[in-house]
């Protein structure tokens, strides 16, 4: 937590401090590796080694360690896997995802670290809540080299930009809607739906843009649509329209074939009109194809649960599916 209050303290300095306190363990590790790999050692004197049993430092300790051949300074090894991680609580994460920037900086003002530190010292409650949040979500402390989710604040901003768009194509609103929605959903559905990719297709002279996910099947709902509808992939057709019409449903229906699966989603602004909902229920009854719609209100709820971490946003999609199935004939 020091790095959130004091200038000149960041992950490198924290790493140095930590290593000073665990030096005896690292020395044991170093000696073990030298024995395994036949690395020569020499007698050296270390200024201090923390004694965790006595809770104090032992000074001028003589040990046998490898040395730097040029400087003759003793070397202490660190497990390679440790170097792949950052502290779970760190300034960069706080600044990106939790820092109330609008309260700290004036518009167009440089975002200097020292102003953030000053704010933190005067608003301890903000840091306290951040630390509590990081403690609650400690199970998420893992790296994924293939994907990086957008921060909560960025998710909110993208949602707000999307909600401000008019329906239709004027001023490129449809393309802006699709770009914002693709970024949002790729983050909100990760890691349950992965490897998101936008793909364009043309049907009846109309340009249609889809968002396609790989189905990881790691939650019960996704496994169910794999088993029941054969969806190894999940297709979301993005429609920035005031209401979904019969032609839209017919287009998506024709697309739901064996290479995709029989479950498809509209991302659109408003709920399906009653007649169109009836149309999708009839499709399920006759062809066992399932089409549901995600709306602006659903996206708001997804971003809310993404922020709170109380539930996974994929559960909003599951809720929509459960509601649809309950409306179908048994």
């Amino acid at each position: 937590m020091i790095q959130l209050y004091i200038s000149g303290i960041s992950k490198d300095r924290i790493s140095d401090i930590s290593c000073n306190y665990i030096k005896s363990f690292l020395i044991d590790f170093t000696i073990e590796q030298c024995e395994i790999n036949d690395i020569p050692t020499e007698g050296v004197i270390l200024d201090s080694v923390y004694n965790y049993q006595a809770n104090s430092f032992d000074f001028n300790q003589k040990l046998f360690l490898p040395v730097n051949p040029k400087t003759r300074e003793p070397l202490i090894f660190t497990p390679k896997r440790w170097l792949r991680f950052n502290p779970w609580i760190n300034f960069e994460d706080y600044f990106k995802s939790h820092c109330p920037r609008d309260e700290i900086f004036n518009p167009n003002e440089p975002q200097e670290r020292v102003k953030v530190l000053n704010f933190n010292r005067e608003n301890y409650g903000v840091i306290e809540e951040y630390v509590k949040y990081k403690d609650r979500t400690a199970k998420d402390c893992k790296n994924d080299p293939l994907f990086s989710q957008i921060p909560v604040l960025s998710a909110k901003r993208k949602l707000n930009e999307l909600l401000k768009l008019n329906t239709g194509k004027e001023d490129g609103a449809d393309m802006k809607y699709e770009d914002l929605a693709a970024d949002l959903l790729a983050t909100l559905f990760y890691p349950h739906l992965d490897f998101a990719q936008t793909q364009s297709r043309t049907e009846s002279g109309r340009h249609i843009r889809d968002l396609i996910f790989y189905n990881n099947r790691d939650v019960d709902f996704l496994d169910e649509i794999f088993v029941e509808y054969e969806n190894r992939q999940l297709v979301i057709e993005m429609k920035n329209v005031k209401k979904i019409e019969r032609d839209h449903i017919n287009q998506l229906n024709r697309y739901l074939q064996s290479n995709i699966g029989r479950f498809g989603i509209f991302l659109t602004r408003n709920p399906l009109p009653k007649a169109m909902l009836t149309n999708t229920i009839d499709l399920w009854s006759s062809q066992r194809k399932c089409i549901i719609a995600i709306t602006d209100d659903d996206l708001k709820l997804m971003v809310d649960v993404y922020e709170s971490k109380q539930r996974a946003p994929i559960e909003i999609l599951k809720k929509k599916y459960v509601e649809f199935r309950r409306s179908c004939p048994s």
Side-chain angles (χ1 to χ4, degrees), residues 19 22-31 76-79 82:
C19 284
I22 61 172
K23 192 183 291 184
S24 63
F25 297 99
L26 296 178
I27 289 169
D28 291 342
F29 173 77
T30 302
I31 293 171
I76 299 177
F77 298 157
T78 303
W82 289 11

Side-chain angles (χ1 to χ4, degrees), residues 15 37 76 78 98 113 185 191 284 292 316 325:
S15 174
N37 296 287
I76 299 177
T78 303
H98 301 269
R113 182 187 181 107
L185 291 181
W284 185 87
I292 62 176
I316 311 304
R325 285 300 302 265

